[in-house]
Amino acid sequence: MLRALQIEPEKCTGCLQCELACSYQAEGVFNPAKSRIKVFTFHDEGRFIPYTCTQCSEAWCMHACPVEAIVLNEETGSKDVLADVCVGCKVCTIACPFGTVNYNQDTKVVYKCDLCGGDPECAKACPTAAITYVDADHTGLARMRAHAAASAN
Amino acid sequence: MQHVIIGAGPAGVIAAETLRKTDPSCSIKLIGDETEPPYSRMALPYYLIDDIDEAGTYLRKSDTHYEDLDIEIIRDRAASVDPDAHTLELESGATVNFDKLLIATGSHPIRPPIPGLDSPGVHSCWTLEDGRNIAQNASKGSDVILMGAGFIGCIILEALAERGVNLTVIEMEDRMVPRMMNQTAGNLIKQWCLDKGVSVLTSTRVEAIEQDAGRLSVKLDNGEQLGADVVISATGVRANTGFLEGSGIETDFGVLVNDRLQSSHPDVYAAGDVCQGRDFSTGEFSVQAIQPTAADHGRIAAMNMCGRDTRHQGSVNMNVLDTMGLVSTSYGLWMGVEGGESAELVDAEGYRYISLQFQDDVLVGAQALGLTNHVGVLRGLIQTKLKLGKWKDHLLHDPTRIMEAYLGATQSIGHNAALL
């Protein structure tokens, strides 16, 4: 069963545990700036939206890469950056329409969410279950039902 | 079905792979005129600074990739095409038959009409072969003159500076990367280069190159004369359409195509730098000559060649450039539109800049300096023509909040959230 990160922003409290867990897993440091998942803040509305790569199927980043440095992980469905193959041209960072591939000026390669190889730390760290790792076919189901119900009325 | 692709760059290779995926039984011939396995010109600057070896530039890393997909690679060059007879003459004299033909011959560096441009020591930077020549001759401490501060010029500029050469850049326009960045951003890039010890002369032309006791002497239109060991010409590229003369295939700046990337002959398609395809932003047909567009074209042309009717919606023109550590990006109608609005934030000392262009409440263009996080969302906002609503006003006030604008305008906050 392919699984995906399900993000329910209405449950997010903005605690940033996900960013800390992600950066520690990916880079060995507690540094939100190096996290693959990012919590965006909407102060005016008192809301938060965690956001990261959706591992889209025909991935723009993967197709735009000129040197085959972004590959499909057939086990998890994630699109993974091969850091030793990436030349740092950044074409994927401008090609991803969701803005979830970033360039690291220190390492001179790009980075993105790789679902931690199938055991995402952000989901484990989230205290309110705003981020869960679920059957990929079920992501967004609640939202679709709600929309369907609303439009039926 | 016999498919023939001329050109083994990204457009040709992606087309070949898409053909195989869509039609497992078809025959695919990929014709390329360089001796190396298909490689990426985008990777050449990194080869120049020894970040990667030659194999690091290859488009596909498996030794048996093309064999595995039963794609026959032919080392040759197209001489002429007879679309009605469905034949292609190669320079070796061989004839290749096709049912469907894809022209993906890319582009070549233009040679400005400057006396002495053919002197030894003057190079283009376009092929792996050029890269090897430059790597050999532009050694530490040598005097190098780079003609052209366009996209390609700027990309190799970094590679040259890292090799430790004494570098002078000559650009005839009034700023750097004039077809990608506006005055403010282009001049900030120039200032950045000057600070790093690269000499940059804008609004300056090279009038002649002369040989002078084993070195080169470059004469400028301001009367100056500069000595150089190596001169690199990077003054733009032009589509490789020469071999189509007399074929009846219509060309302009590139091969003219419709929204199925079909040329004026229904069995001949075009993709990549050679293709004058639709621009998403302008709706006009133009040559973009960028990697993501080549990838779009290759895939869509191949789908249509297999009989899967696929429309090309137009590619967003986009560029990203790293000039000695200063990352610049531009998208779509970065220069703005008549009657539109714009938002701009400049931090000249910090070399940070962002400019957004709107038409009504839709983002139509953008440019940025020093933005390396979430920059791709600009493409998403432009290409989905997302109606920003109140987020446009937020962006006019603070143009850095592009991710918030995208999420705020699409996610279940506000009234949607109440549904859950």
Side-chain angles (χ1 to χ4, degrees), chain B residues 274-388:
Chain B
V274 76
C275 172
Q276 193 164 337
R278 194 183 286 280
D279 181 297
F280 176 86
S281 304
T282 61
E284 308 284 322
F285 289 83
S286 59
V287 172
Q288 286 183 338
I290 56 171
Q291 165 83 22
T293 298
D296 281 358
H297 284 177
R299 192 180 63 79
I300 292 168
M303 295 294 283
N304 284 303
M305 288 166 75
C306 287
R308 302 272 183 102
D309 187 31
T310 310
R311 296 285 191 105
H312 179 230
Q313 310 287 333
S315 296
V316 176
N317 201 4
M318 56 177 118
N319 275 298
V320 59
L321 179 65
D322 192 332
T323 314
M324 291 187 282
L326 181 60
V327 178
S328 51
T329 42
S330 81
Y331 282 100
L333 303 171
W334 54 267
M335 66 304 280
V337 286
E338 217 180 296
E341 279 179 273
S342 63
E344 188 179 53
L345 202 59
V346 195
D347 169 11
E349 277 169 27
Y351 289 102
R352 289 172 73 83
Y353 177 73
I354 186 164
S355 149
L356 305 179
Q357 302 294 338
F358 303 94
Q359 188 157 38
D360 303 320
D361 67 342
V362 173
L363 186 74
V364 292
Q367 51 189 319
L369 289 183
L371 184 67
T372 54
N373 283 343
H374 312 298
V375 62
V377 78
L378 291 168
R379 176 194 187 172
L381 291 172
I382 292 169
Q383 204 157 5
T384 58
K385 297 185 178 172
L386 183 69
K387 288 194 172 302
L388 290 161

Side-chain angles (χ1 to χ4, degrees), chain A residues 10 40-42 47 51 60 64 66-68 85 87-91 93-99 102-103 105, chain B residues 40 42 46 59-61 291 318 322 325 329 331 372-374 376-377 379-380 391 401 403-404 406-407 412 420:
Chain A
E10 55 286 350
F40 292 91
T41 305
F42 296 77
R47 291 179 192 278
Y51 198 70
W60 281 270
V67 294
E68 210 178 22
V85 178
V87 297
C89 79
K90 308 167 205 67
V91 167
T93 69
I94 61 165
C96 168
F98 306 104
N102 293 334
Y103 176 66
Q105 289 203 287
Chain B
S40 164
M42 291 288 301
Y46 307 94
L59 292 172
R60 300 296 178 252
K61 302 301 190 233
Q291 165 83 22
M318 56 177 118
D322 192 332
T329 42
Y331 282 100
T372 54
N373 283 343
H374 312 298
V377 78
R379 176 194 187 172
W391 278 99
R401 299 196 76 200
M403 267 312 270
E404 286 87 348
Y406 161 63
L407 293 170
S412 61
L420 296 172

Side-chain angles (χ1 to χ4, degrees), chain A residues 51-69:
Chain A
Y51 198 70
T52 189
C53 173
T54 60
Q55 316 296 346
C56 58
S57 53
E58 288 293 327
W60 281 270
C61 62
M62 190 167 74
H63 291 308
C65 177
V67 294
E68 210 178 22

Side-chain angles (χ1 to χ4, degrees), chain B residues 54-107:
Chain B
E54 268 195 37
T57 68
Y58 296 167
L59 292 172
R60 300 296 178 252
K61 302 301 190 233
S62 158
D63 288 342
T64 57
H65 179 77
Y66 303 97
E67 228 174 283
D68 293 347
L69 293 178
D70 197 14
I71 295 166
E72 185 188 343
I73 295 193
I74 299 174
R75 301 256 172 266
D76 213 322
R77 225 179 134 83
S80 65
V81 183
D82 184 340
D84 288 330
H86 292 82
T87 56
L88 174 68
E89 299 291 327
L90 301 180
E91 283 192 353
S92 64
T95 302
V96 179
N97 299 313
F98 61 84
D99 295 313
K100 303 277 181 194
L101 177 71
L102 179 65
I103 300 165
T105 46
S107 45

Side-chain angles (χ1 to χ4, degrees), chain A residues 9 11-18 39-41 47-50 128 130:
Chain A
K11 293 182 183 170
C12 178
T13 63
C15 74
L16 306 192
Q17 293 287 327
C18 55
V39 178
F40 292 91
T41 305
R47 291 179 192 278
F48 305 92
I49 300 187
T128 60

